[in-house]
Amino acid sequence: GENVEQHPSTLSVQEGDSAVIKCTYSDSASNYFPWYKQELGKRPQLIIDIRSNVGEKKDQRIAVTLNKTAKHFSLHITETQPEDSAVYFCAASNGGSQGNLIFGKGTKLSVKP
Amino acid sequence: DAGVIQSPRHEVTEMGQEVTLRCKPISGHDYLFWYRQTMMRGLELLIYFNNNVPIDDSGMPEDRFSAKMPNASFSTLKIQPSEPRDSAVYFCASSLKGQHSPLHFGNGTRLTVT
């Protein structure tokens, strides 16, 4: 089955700096890669997703890149703000009947003012 | 739409008691998921339904856990008997097109078993 590794587990940056979170996956058939943000005590919420037919997707200060050959994908946050502080989860799914969405263990991002 | 609604928000119970968690998915979403979140194991899929039918329950820890979806607008997750190791946050989520589309999570139920 799919296995998703996420690094780092914690990340601290200064406000205005960029943050990068990386994930690797094991199932080469995986083709859907969402990222969820979970603020303290709240529910996970989708912030961006990418499918395997594209290599990069951007939404304002957030971008995700996908390298299918190396089986890794990354979340990039530019011009970080204190409200970006949260736990970020990557996930991967092959969408098939046995293709459950598998989540990484999460990265706790702290943005210091 | 009010989003996915879960109840209760918090549940504290003693070991051996029955616990029932409830979920109302977003109207029109055909898929409903139950997840468990702990520090040690992260987000784990317990079971999911498509059109009220359980599709994959391989994540259910053991026979003490059961889930039902009697209609398109309601699902329950039951633990009987509960144990301290069941303490976690339980999330319900729904989606339009399964796990290959955005999941909409409820606010979760924080379960504490003493």
Side-chain angles (χ1 to χ4, degrees):
Chain A
E2 176 65 278
N3 182 49
V4 176
E5 299 284 341
Q6 184 171 347
H7 299 281
S9 56
T10 60
L11 179 59
S12 182
V13 300
Q14 288 295 133
E15 181 177 1
D17 288 349
S18 295
V20 180
I21 302 170
K22 299 180 179 179
C23 290
T24 61
Y25 60 98
S26 60
D27 187 350
S28 57
S30 288
N31 53 16
Y32 176 61
F33 307 93
W35 287 86
Y36 286 82
K37 174 184 180 183
Q38 186 177 26
E39 296 177 6
L40 186 63
K42 297 192 175 181
R43 60 187 173 175
Q45 291 188 290
L46 180 74
I47 55 171
I48 194 168
D49 57 9
I50 191 169
R51 299 184 190 274
S52 60
N53 56 344
V54 298
E56 181 175 4
K57 184 176 180 181
K58 292 185 70 173
D59 183 3
Q60 300 182 336
R61 297 185 297 107
I62 292 172
V64 58
T65 59
L66 171 64
N67 184 325
K68 289 177 59 179
T69 302
K71 291 191 284 188
H72 67 70
F73 56 113
S74 300
L75 178 71
H76 305 254
I77 306 174
T78 59
E79 301 174 21
T80 55
Q81 301 167 4
E83 51 265 39
D84 294 329
S85 297
V87 178
Y88 291 81
F89 293 93
C90 64
S93 167
N94 67 25
S97 60
Q98 299 300 319
N100 287 343
L101 188 68
I102 303 299
F103 284 87
K105 289 289 192 290
T107 296
K108 182 177 181 181
L109 173 64
S110 299
V111 180
K112 299 181 178 180
Chain B
D1 201 315
V4 176
I5 299 173
Q6 289 187 247
S7 64
R9 287 298 308 275
H10 303 274
E11 178 79 41
V12 181
T13 191
E14 292 184 346
M15 182 173 62
Q17 296 298 305
E18 177 179 297
V19 175
T20 299
L21 311 182
R22 298 172 176 78
C23 176
K24 175 179 168 53
I26 292 173
S27 177
H29 282 193
D30 291 335
Y31 289 81
L32 182 139
F33 307 84
W34 283 100
Y35 283 88
R36 178 171 67 178
Q37 185 175 40
T38 61
M39 288 295 293
M40 291 299 294
R41 301 175 68 87
L43 269 167
E44 301 175 278
L45 177 65
L46 300 178
I47 185 171
Y48 79 91
F49 296 82
N50 179 23
N51 292 321
N52 314 336
V53 177
I55 303 300
D56 185 353
D57 64 355
S58 59
M60 297 285 262
E62 46 200 273
D63 292 346
R64 298 184 299 105
F65 286 68
S66 63
K68 294 182 180 180
M69 192 166 187
N71 57 62
S73 60
F74 184 66
S75 177
T76 60
L77 178 67
K78 186 176 293 185
I79 308 172
Q80 165 64 19
S82 59
E83 297 183 3
R85 60 190 168 126
D86 301 330
S87 298
V89 180
Y90 290 81
F91 285 103
C92 175
S94 69
S95 76
L96 275 171
K97 298 179 180 179
Q99 296 181 79
H100 218 62
S101 64
L103 300 181
H104 298 260
F105 285 84
N107 287 323
T109 295
R110 180 174 295 278
L111 173 65
T112 303
V113 183
T114 61

